[in-house]
Amino acid sequence: MSTILTFILPLIAAAGGLFAGKVFYSKVNKNIETDAQRKAEDILKNAEITAENIKKDRMLEAKENFLRLRAEFEEESQNKKGILLENEQKLREKERILAQQAEQQRAAEQELHSAKQSVQAKEENFRKKLEDVEKKREEAEAMLANQISQLEKIAGLSADEARQQIMDALKAEAESKASSLVKQAIEEAKLTATKEAKKVVIETIQRTAAENAIENCVSVFNIESDDIKGKIIGREGRNIRALEAATGVEFIVDDTPEAIIISGFDPVRREIARLSLHRLVQDGRIHPARIEEVVNKTRKNIDDEIIEIGEKTVIDLGIHGLHPELIKMIGRMRFRSSYGQNLLQHSREVAKLCATMAAELGLNAKLAKRAGLLHDIGKVWHEEPELPHALLGMELAQKYKEHPEVCNAIGAHHDECEMTSMISPIIQVCDAISGSRPGARREMMESYMKRLRDLETLATSFDGVQKCYAIQAGRELRIMVDSENVSDEKASNLSFDISQKIEKEMQYPGQIKVTVIREMRAVNFAK
């Protein structure tokens, strides 16, 4: 029994637990369902409220859009209405203008009709008068023929014979009067022309402010302090000797404070020496090797300076379209002189005088100025000219496509070819004016410079001579020879031969010292 109870009691307990669990689960499910139903009802209420709010918002938004679209429509309607009104106003204005034009056209047509009627009336009157004149002319011709026949009977001459006699008499009288009038006109023209020419020349000279352009043979190089003089002289004067040998000019270092004199007849050499000395002083390294390097570099750079001078000159004078080679020749004028007068300053002065005189005479001032600047271009040709400088300048101008009048003016300014334009005599006159001003030229300077050039040319004609410089105002001729081709013995003989040739072929005051320099250099590089 106890065993049965032991077996049954657990079963009863389990069944009771199952029943209790089922009852609990049913209660829990009922609560969950109740909560879910309540939540669903809340969600529905919230959804209805939200839907109502959204509906209200959409209605407000639709109302605002409606009002905005209505306002835009009204604004657009007003604009279109304004445009229509404006177009109607313009149309009415055009109709009014067209009506005025039509009225004017009707009035013009009426005036034209009246004018036609007036012209027709005048033509009719003129025709009648012409008929009357024709009748009177016929009557006059008949009377004249009758009178001529009567005169022929009285005089015993025909009409042609009488006419010829009258014509011969009138012709002789006219020739006599014409001859006297021509003589009188020529005399008056000569007097007037001379007076006017003097007036033009005087006014041209007065309106041109020119400086005396005398080329000296010395240049002054200014230094900051006398301490630099010692560096320039060098130990035992080797730097000065190197400078003189490289540049071909004489450096005079005396007691003149803060200045060194550069003496030489050739302006190009003086300019190379001045620029080289300026660079050496700025650099501070002054010794023979550096001197030769700077002088060679300066000699190459002088071409650039020549071009700059030429370009500046044509810009200052307002001359355009010149060939680059002509500009370079104009720059070379800065370093040339004519009878002591600087060639560039002379040419600039002639150009200004020509422009002024051409303007006074009513000619082309630009062509005259161009011809005045180029008139001495033949003097700076780098080769030895066989032609006179005027003809050579004309050929150069023709080569570089200058105007024919400019070419003729250049070639004819010394009467070496025929003048074919009015500009040519102006160039000749202005060249004479510039050269004949008091203090403009020195004849002795030109002959002096020619003697020094001839002296250098004579020395360079010997074999082995590299460079030759006339210094000490022509009292010394310094010659550099090629050390490989000229020995010491030959250098001595060369000095003697040159001195003998100078004695035979040249005329000079005093004596000339001929110095032949043969310098041997050995140069190697450590690599």
Side-chain angles (χ1 to χ4, degrees):
M1 185 71 178
S2 60
T3 303
I4 295 170
L5 290 172
T6 302
F7 181 76
I8 292 172
L9 285 174
L11 291 174
I12 294 169
L18 287 172
F19 178 77
K22 187 175 182 180
V23 171
F24 178 74
Y25 182 73
S26 64
K27 288 182 179 181
V28 170
N29 284 338
K30 188 175 181 181
N31 291 332
I32 290 171
E33 289 177 359
T34 305
D35 292 338
Q37 187 175 4
R38 189 169 55 251
K39 287 181 179 179
E41 290 175 356
D42 292 339
I43 289 169
L44 287 173
K45 288 180 180 180
N46 290 332
E48 289 176 357
I49 294 170
T50 303
E52 187 67 23
N53 291 334
I54 291 171
K55 183 179 178 181
K56 290 179 179 180
D57 291 340
R58 292 289 183 273
M59 289 180 69
L60 288 172
E61 186 177 354
K63 189 173 182 181
E64 289 176 355
N65 287 334
F66 172 74
L67 293 174
R68 181 175 57 78
L69 291 172
R70 183 178 177 182
E72 290 178 355
F73 174 75
E74 289 178 353
E75 184 178 358
E76 186 176 359
S77 298
Q78 290 293 332
N79 291 336
K80 289 183 177 179
K81 187 176 179 181
I83 292 169
L84 288 173
L85 291 173
E86 186 177 354
N87 290 336
E88 288 178 0
Q89 186 175 0
K90 289 181 179 179
L91 185 60
R92 283 196 293 270
E93 183 66 21
K94 287 182 179 179
E95 289 177 351
R96 184 180 63 79
I97 292 170
L98 289 173
Q100 289 179 354
Q101 291 178 350
E103 184 66 25
Q104 290 175 357
Q105 187 175 2
R106 284 195 296 271
E109 289 176 353
Q110 291 178 357
E111 290 179 359
L112 181 61
H113 182 67
S114 301
K116 285 181 178 180
Q117 291 179 348
S118 175
V119 168
Q120 289 175 356
K122 288 181 179 179
E123 286 179 353
E124 186 65 27
N125 293 331
F126 179 74
R127 194 179 297 109
K128 291 179 180 179
K129 289 180 180 180
L130 188 61
E131 290 175 356
D132 294 339
V133 169
E134 188 67 24
K135 289 179 182 179
K136 289 180 179 179
R137 186 180 65 80
E138 291 176 356
E139 293 175 358
E141 286 179 354
M143 290 176 64
L144 181 61
N146 187 20
Q147 290 176 357
I148 289 173
S149 62
Q150 290 179 1
L151 288 172
E152 287 177 354
K153 290 177 182 180
I154 296 170
L157 295 173
S158 66
D160 293 336
E161 291 174 350
R163 187 181 299 108
Q164 187 63 39
Q165 288 183 3
I166 293 171
M167 288 176 62
D168 291 341
L170 291 174
K171 184 178 179 181
E173 185 181 357
E175 286 179 353
S176 176
K177 288 185 178 179
S179 177
S180 62
L181 287 173
V182 167
K183 289 181 180 179
Q184 184 180 357
I186 290 173
E187 293 298 327
E188 291 179 358
K190 285 182 179 179
L191 293 173
T192 306
T194 303
K195 188 183 298 182
E196 289 298 321
K198 289 180 179 179
K199 180 182 177 183
V200 169
V201 171
I202 291 170
E203 288 183 356
T204 303
I205 294 173
Q206 288 175 344
R207 289 170 58 184
T208 303
E211 298 177 357
N212 289 347
I214 297 299
E215 277 293 317
N216 297 316
C217 290
V218 295
S219 299
V220 179
F221 179 77
N222 296 314
I223 55 178
E224 295 180 356
S225 65
D226 290 337
D227 297 337
I228 301 176
K229 286 185 179 180
K231 292 183 180 180
I232 295 172
I233 295 171
R235 182 180 299 175
E236 298 178 355
R238 63 174 187 171
N239 291 343
I240 283 289
R241 287 196 298 273
L243 279 167
E244 291 180 346
T247 59
V249 299
E250 184 182 2
F251 290 83
I252 301 172
V253 184
D254 52 16
D255 295 335
T256 306
E258 299 181 356
I260 293 176
I261 308 299
I262 302 172
S263 175
F265 74 95
D266 191 335
V268 179
R269 294 182 195 169
R270 290 205 311 273
E271 184 67 12
I272 292 172
R274 187 186 66 80
L275 293 175
S276 301
L277 189 58
H278 178 69
R279 292 177 180 177
L280 288 168
V281 170
Q282 280 189 331
D283 184 46
R285 295 176 294 166
I286 306 177
H287 51 82
R290 178 63 178 166
I291 287 169
E292 288 189 3
E293 178 186 350
V294 170
V295 169
N296 290 331
K297 189 179 294 185
T298 304
R299 191 173 281 114
K300 293 177 182 178
N301 293 340
I302 202 71
D303 288 337
D304 297 333
E305 184 180 354
I306 285 172
I307 294 173
E308 289 179 7
I309 292 170
E311 290 175 347
K312 184 177 183 298
T313 300
V314 297
I315 290 171
D316 290 345
L317 294 175
I319 297 174
H320 306 287
L322 276 179
H323 193 278
E325 282 298 323
L326 292 178
I327 293 176
K328 193 172 182 180
M329 291 181 192
I330 291 170
R332 287 200 198 108
M333 289 182 181
R334 168 64 181 80
F335 303 104
R336 294 290 183 272
S337 62
S338 177
Y339 298 99
Q341 186 179 23
N342 183 273
L343 194 58
L344 179 60
Q345 292 187 19
H346 167 64
S347 298
R348 288 173 64 108
E349 183 179 337
V350 171
K352 293 177 181 178
L353 287 168
C354 290
T356 305
M357 192 172 290
E360 288 290 333
L361 297 173
L363 301 176
N364 191 329
K366 290 184 178 179
L367 279 183
K369 185 189 293 184
R370 198 181 191 97
L373 180 64
L374 299 176
H375 80 285
D376 274 344
I377 205 75
K379 290 185 177 180
V380 293
W381 184 239
H382 54 82
E383 298 177 1
E384 189 66 25
E386 297 179 358
L387 294 172
H389 76 274
L391 297 179
L392 179 61
M394 181 176 68
E395 290 185 359
L396 290 171
Q398 290 171 347
K399 177 182 177 181
Y400 295 117
K401 311 298 182 186
E402 282 297 313
H403 195 279
E405 292 188 12
V406 174
C407 298
N408 179 256
I410 294 172
H413 78 277
H414 285 313
D415 292 325
E416 286 162 338
C417 68
E418 185 180 357
M419 296 183 181
T420 59
S421 71
M422 291 298 295
I423 294 177
S424 300
I426 292 177
I427 306 302
Q428 190 178 50
V429 170
C430 293
D431 180 42
I433 291 172
S434 175
S436 61
R437 285 187 298 100
R441 292 185 173 183
R442 293 176 182 169
E443 300 289 338
M444 293 301 295
M445 178 65 71
E446 187 70 14
S447 61
Y448 160 73
M449 294 175 67
K450 184 178 184 302
R451 180 169 63 83
L452 296 190
R453 290 195 190 96
D454 292 342
L455 191 63
E456 291 183 350
T457 304
L458 184 146
T460 52
S461 64
F462 285 81
D463 294 334
V465 176
Q466 285 184 330
K467 293 183 289 186
C468 178
Y469 300 126
I471 61 176
Q472 296 285 346
R475 291 190 296 272
E476 180 178 354
L477 190 63
R478 191 166 293 177
I479 303 164
M480 271 65 76
V481 297
D482 185 3
S483 60
E484 295 182 359
N485 298 325
V486 179
S487 62
D488 288 342
E489 183 179 356
K490 190 175 180 180
S492 177
N493 294 332
L494 184 64
S495 174
F496 177 76
D497 293 341
I498 292 174
S499 64
Q500 291 301 308
K501 191 170 183 179
I502 291 172
E503 287 181 5
K504 292 178 182 178
E505 297 184 5
M506 296 192 66
Q507 295 180 356
Y508 51 90
Q511 62 182 12
I512 298 175
K513 178 182 178 183
V514 180
T515 305
V516 176
I517 300 172
R518 179 180 180 271
E519 187 177 22
M520 185 70 182
R521 294 190 184 185
V523 180
N524 288 290
F525 297 94
K527 298 181 180 178

